[in-house]
Amino acid sequence: MSAASSSASRGTGTVTTAVPARLDRLPWSRWHWMIVIGLGTVWILDGLEVTIVGNVAGRLAEEGSGLDITAAQVTGVAAALYVAGACSGALFFGWLTDRYGRKKLFMITLAVYLGATAMTALSFESWWFFLFRFLTGFGIGGEYAAINSAIDELIPSLYRGRVDLIINGSYWLGAIGGALLSVVMLDTDIFPQNLGWRLSFALGVVLGLVILLVRRHVPESPRWQFIHGHGEEAEELVSSVEREIEAEKGSELPPPAGEITIHQRLSIGFGTIAKTVFGHYPRRAALGLSLFIGQAFLYNAITFGFGSILITFYDVPTGSTGYYFAVIAAGNFLGPLLLGKLFDTVGRRIMISGTYLLSGLLLFGTAWLFDRGSLSATTLTACWCVVLFFASAGASSAYLTVSEIFPMETRAMAIAFFYALGTAAGGISGPLIFAELTESGVVGDTVLAFQIGAGLMCAAGLVAAFLAVNAERRSLEDIAEPLSVVRADKKP
């Protein structure tokens, strides 16, 4: 299955391997479910916690909450710090992920995330709350880089699109849980005013510890291993997975489609990464940036202020906003769940551009109805549910896109860069600007917020219509040739 110029378990020789083709031809199995559960379920935690923060903003601002803080500071300053932490963490851990491997980093980033969440629950001053919102974001930013790169490298090409979308969309399962949990935790007949919101964060930590135990069994990416001087480990890992799946299915696997020759390297410099992403793939770089900016404004700038809109314009009690948010969260999850398969069958270009454009146009329609005063809290929620059914599939495809259209050696860093840059544009400036717009009580201000988000989604959809890569059911190495590949006309 492989021939190498060096027999050392770790080195920088030239290796010919069929590992990518062997991984891509695997049928779906229990082993793949273990990958999905071990890596993907962390998005449920992220959705749980971010939703809790949005829904408890009003409670935190009330006298007796235990914190001297305003709702605008929670949805504005704290949200911006969370996103700033996520951007910083993505870049820092993304670089480490490409250098030291997926497994080491997705264990570390989850530990950072859980530790910071626990400390958030112990907040006694606003500065403490702000600090640990930043550090929580720092951990989750690293998760985005480490997890998405690992998932795409371990899941067969036939299923990669739908699995990636559903995993990223599972964030909204956590959002549903967070919305309903906040209803219980904010009920002062059950928990004191200064305790319920703390217990909400603590529950997330407990669930995260369970995920951490499962994640210990998720292996390193064989694709990362054979490029970074661990060729023998990659071969052994894939062989053991093949034996496990053959025993499960009761039949032999078909032969792999081909081999690839790699000149192993232990690390890739920032200069090489930047030159590759922006010099060799400028159209793909423009695509990734557009997709991330569009979805970041829609979600970070507007959606997470939904509870404040309900309270300000429809006098919905702070303890009841969770019911409404649970509905739009359900729409968010159903989008990737029901549309995900189409990204592998109909194709990336049509589905990415279509979901972005349709969600943007529907949001323009929602803004028009809101401006006319035609919506109630219930009908506004219904409109958002439809908008986000399509927007969530589009937003999830942004992570899928940047994780599969750049070479293997740059993958985690590319995810980190586009996530950080796009999210910084929409997720740091957005909450700071739109927290004031959606809480001003002026209809025109909220309409403007809706229109900005809709316009950027439509613009990203148009970019995707022209620049999206037809990556469906193709090997990652076929979509973007590894920098380390050895061809007859390319000497190591």
Side-chain angles (χ1 to χ4, degrees):
M1 292 184 182
S2 109
S5 61
S6 171
S7 61
S9 62
R10 178 170 171 81
T12 55
T14 300
V15 175
T16 298
T17 179
V19 161
R22 291 164 68 189
L23 288 170
D24 279 337
R25 63 71 149 100
L26 294 176
W28 192 260
S29 66
R30 288 192 297 266
W31 185 79
H32 294 107
W33 278 118
M34 183 265 292
I35 301 297
V36 170
I37 294 171
L39 298 182
T41 45
V42 75
W43 297 153
I44 297 176
L45 279 183
D46 188 27
L48 178 78
E49 192 211 350
V50 171
T51 305
I52 286 172
V53 172
N55 285 321
V56 304
R59 175 56 49 81
L60 289 173
E62 295 173 359
E63 188 176 350
S65 70
L67 281 181
D68 182 14
I69 197 170
T70 67
Q73 285 178 317
V74 176
T75 58
V77 178
L81 285 171
Y82 177 86
V83 174
C87 296
S88 304
L91 293 171
F92 177 70
F93 288 120
W95 174 68
L96 293 178
T97 297
D98 276 335
R99 186 177 180 87
Y100 296 109
R102 289 29 172 156
K103 183 176 178 65
K104 288 180 182 177
L105 271 298
F106 62 58
M107 296 297 288
I108 292 172
T109 52
L110 181 55
V112 170
Y113 175 65
L114 293 177
T117 300
M119 298 306 287
T120 301
L122 300 176
S123 296
F124 58 91
E125 292 284 353
S126 57
W127 67 264
W128 180 281
F129 185 81
F130 294 149
L131 171 63
F132 285 102
R133 289 306 295 157
F134 174 85
L135 292 176
T136 302
F138 193 74
I140 201 61
E143 284 280 292
Y144 277 111
I147 299 303
N148 278 289
S149 56
I151 288 171
D152 281 2
E153 290 163 13
L154 292 169
I155 298 299
S157 57
L158 183 64
Y159 308 100
R160 189 175 61 241
R162 73 196 75 175
V163 170
D164 199 297
L165 258 70
I166 292 172
I167 285 177
N168 280 284
S170 70
Y171 171 101
W172 297 101
L173 284 178
I176 296 171
L180 298 177
L181 180 65
S182 67
V183 172
V184 176
M185 293 301 181
L186 294 180
D187 188 341
T188 53
D189 291 334
I190 303 176
F191 297 103
Q193 192 174 9
N194 65 348
L195 180 62
W197 64 269
R198 299 180 189 275
L199 293 177
S200 300
F201 287 110
L203 180 60
V205 174
V206 173
L207 295 175
L209 289 173
V210 175
I211 295 174
L212 192 63
L213 293 175
V214 175
R215 188 173 286 188
R216 292 183 308 142
H217 302 290
V218 176
E220 180 57 84
S221 163
R223 284 179 156 104
W224 182 88
Q225 287 178 321
F226 74 72
I227 283 181
H228 289 81
H230 299 273
E232 290 185 6
E233 290 96 325
E235 296 287 343
E236 291 171 2
L237 172 58
V238 176
S239 295
S240 68
V241 173
E242 289 172 333
R243 289 192 296 270
E244 178 182 330
I245 293 177
E246 285 180 338
E248 176 187 339
K249 303 298 182 182
S251 60
E252 291 188 4
L253 294 170
E259 296 181 326
I260 186 171
T261 300
I262 291 291
H263 181 68
Q264 297 173 311
R265 53 175 81 190
L266 301 183
S267 64
I268 311 294
F270 272 118
T272 301
I273 293 173
K275 181 180 178 181
T276 300
V277 173
F278 296 100
H280 295 172
Y281 297 101
R283 290 165 60 90
R284 297 185 181 189
L287 170 67
L289 189 57
S290 299
L291 295 180
F292 268 98
I293 289 178
Q295 65 87 26
F297 263 96
L298 184 71
Y299 281 99
N300 292 302
I302 303 171
T303 306
F304 296 141
F306 183 66
S308 296
I309 294 173
L310 293 176
I311 294 169
T312 302
F313 292 99
Y314 300 106
D315 296 321
V316 175
T318 57
S320 300
T321 58
Y323 292 118
Y324 295 90
F325 200 89
V327 174
I328 66 169
N332 270 289
F333 178 65
L334 288 174
L337 181 66
L338 299 179
L339 300 178
K341 185 177 181 180
L342 299 179
F343 284 77
D344 284 324
T345 54
V346 174
R348 303 285 201 264
R349 185 187 300 270
I350 293 175
M351 292 305 300
I352 295 172
S353 60
T355 51
Y356 268 79
L357 286 168
L358 190 53
S359 62
L361 293 173
L362 288 169
L363 183 52
F364 272 124
T366 301
W368 178 71
L369 291 172
F370 184 83
D371 191 33
R372 292 186 59 195
S374 303
L375 298 175
S376 64
T378 301
T379 53
L380 175 64
T381 302
C383 287
W384 267 108
C385 192
V386 175
V387 169
L388 296 174
F389 176 85
F390 297 102
S392 180
S396 295
S397 73
Y399 294 94
L400 168 66
T401 297
V402 297
S403 67
E404 66 181 1
I405 63 174
F406 296 106
M408 161 73 209
E409 299 88 339
T410 70
R411 185 163 294 126
M413 197 61 207
I415 297 169
F417 176 81
F418 288 104
Y419 169 79
L421 198 57
T423 303
I428 296 177
S429 60
L432 293 174
I433 295 170
F434 295 139
E436 297 296 331
L437 290 177
T438 56
E439 291 185 354
S440 69
V442 178
V443 171
D445 289 347
T446 299
V447 169
L448 176 61
F450 286 1
Q451 290 174 335
I452 291 173
L456 288 170
M457 284 296 281
C458 287
L462 291 174
V463 171
F466 290 98
L467 300 184
V469 178
N470 295 318
E472 59 273 8
R473 293 179 286 182
R474 292 169 62 190
S475 166
L476 294 172
E477 290 72 22
D478 180 45
I479 299 167
E481 185 178 76
L483 302 180
S484 308
V485 74
V486 177
R487 302 190 308 266
D489 60 340
K490 181 179 177 181
K491 301 300 181 183

